[in-house]
Amino acid sequence: MSLRVLVGCKRVIDYAVKIRVKPDKSGVVTTGVKHSMNPFDEIAVEEAVRLKEKKIAKEIIAVSCGPTQCQETLRTALAMGVDKAIFVEVPAKDYETMQPYHVSKILSKIAQEEKADLLFVGKQAIDDDCNQTAQMTAAFLDWPQATFASQIEKNDGSLKVTREIDGGLENIEVKLPAVISADLRLNEPRYATLPNIMKAKKKPLAKKKPADYGVDLTPHQKVISVEDPPVREAGQKVESVEELVKKLTDAGMIPT
Ligand code: AMP
């Protein structure tokens, strides 16, 4: 059985950028800021490409929902080895309030239309830290899910997935079709080579709208405010262990 694999690729602020909160606290500054593919989505794409290299997958389709620049994110996925891409264009105004609920509805519709056997997403998007899309999409599709995957093995009609859980690992088996969310240790994603970046320009990239999938983008929640973390207080230097113990004792941090 050769699988059709769908991968969600979100365009997010690059992990190395220092995030700045907007003065009116309505969100974070995104204009003029470097963006890249969500790091967990690079891992999801890599895993899909490895499945294709092992002849377990036959076609990989990447999906990105968001502003026009998401097409660059999709070109990166295509250069890594994805076969075709679907760009679901969301106007800037709607994108500000778009939530995993809406993305999950779109992904589940595409999974059905494309007759996907497997949907890979990242365990979370590093911008909103929601960690909801895998779970909600699995629910909409009524498919089993294996979240926080750190190892995947294909058996007949099912996958054995190792999940990273608090303090250990859990091995589960899910029947296909299924939704998998990629954790950090699943693999190390490859860099796209220049020849593959050139080839990716010729691969198919379809443009769609949420309405094409019958998805209405009315927000389900409202962000009240986004705040910077509290500024860390300056530390103090001590000359000796004795002085440190005395200071901690005086501050009531060591019981006497
Ligand atoms: P979240 O639930 O927002 O933390 O996102 C988890 C994963 O869902 C991401 O790592 C992506 O794989 C996928 N995802 C979320 N938002 C989008 C989007 N706008 N377009 C494509 N995939 C997305």
Side-chain angles (χ1 to χ4, degrees):
M1 181 188 180
S2 258
L3 310 177
R4 286 175 66 76
V5 183
L6 199 65
V7 190
C9 297
K10 187 176 187 187
R11 174 182 178 266
V12 296
I13 294 181
D14 188 86
Y15 72 93
V17 169
K18 180 143 177 26
I19 302 289
R20 280 180 301 126
V21 172
K22 285 186 191 162
D24 67 359
K25 296 188 178 175
S26 63
V28 299
V29 177
T30 54
T31 38
V33 169
K34 183 178 179 218
H35 283 68
S36 320
M37 191 190 305
N38 184 45
F40 294 108
D41 301 357
E42 287 182 352
I43 298 172
V45 169
E46 175 67 33
E47 199 62 21
V49 174
R50 289 187 190 187
L51 289 182
K52 191 168 175 199
E53 286 167 347
K54 287 186 212 150
K55 309 249 183 289
I56 294 171
K58 65 167 177 258
E59 188 174 30
I60 312 168
I61 306 156
V63 180
S64 192
C65 315
T68 186
Q69 299 92 321
C70 291
Q71 290 171 96
E72 292 157 25
T73 312
L74 288 170
R75 289 284 170 210
T76 305
L78 291 165
M80 286 173 75
V82 163
D83 299 295
K84 67 173 196 179
I86 302 175
F87 165 49
V88 183
E89 184 164 28
V90 180
K93 181 103 194 50
D94 289 334
Y95 193 58
E96 267 175 31
T97 55
M98 187 175 188
Q99 288 141 16
Y101 172 80
H102 307 110
V103 175
S104 304
K105 283 200 154 181
I106 294 171
L107 289 178
S108 57
K109 278 277 159 56
I110 297 177
Q112 283 166 330
E113 269 187 18
E114 294 290 337
K115 299 196 172 34
D117 303 291
L118 193 55
L119 167 65
F120 272 120
V121 290
K123 76 161 176 181
Q124 72 191 55
I126 61 164
D127 52 359
D128 60 19
D129 275 347
C130 278
N131 172 21
Q132 295 172 7
T133 307
Q135 297 86 336
M136 275 198 264
T137 313
F140 286 139
L141 286 165
D142 201 13
W143 287 5
Q145 57 179 297
T147 51
F148 313 120
S150 64
Q151 207 181 326
I152 295 170
E153 222 178 275
K154 167 94 172 23
N155 296 329
D156 250 357
S158 69
L159 291 179
K160 190 177 150 238
V161 182
T162 304
R163 304 183 58 235
E164 299 223 357
I165 55 171
D166 273 353
L169 299 172
E170 181 185 50
N171 294 310
I172 61 167
E173 193 175 85
V174 284
K175 279 215 177 107
L176 294 169
V179 178
I180 311 283
S181 81
D183 210 324
L184 192 63
R185 276 164 282 269
L186 183 58
N187 60 51
E188 270 198 33
R190 70 196 63 194
Y191 288 104
T193 60
L194 193 58
N196 285 343
I197 293 172
M198 301 311 288
K199 272 190 223 154
K201 294 189 181 177
K202 295 203 180 95
K203 290 188 180 177
L205 192 157
K207 285 189 199 176
K208 296 283 183 179
K209 295 200 158 40
D212 295 334
Y213 301 107
V215 177
D216 162 21
L217 296 178
T218 308
H220 278 225
Q221 65 188 41
K222 189 174 164 212
V223 173
I224 299 166
S225 77
V226 175
E227 318 248 347
D228 269 317
V231 180
R232 257 180 85 179
E233 282 179 32
Q236 291 176 29
K237 269 195 177 166
V238 290
E239 298 296 328
S240 64
V241 173
E242 289 73 26
E243 191 189 341
L244 173 67
V245 171
K246 183 171 183 319
K247 285 206 177 217
L248 291 175
T249 312
D250 291 349
M253 293 168 83
I254 296 183
T256 45

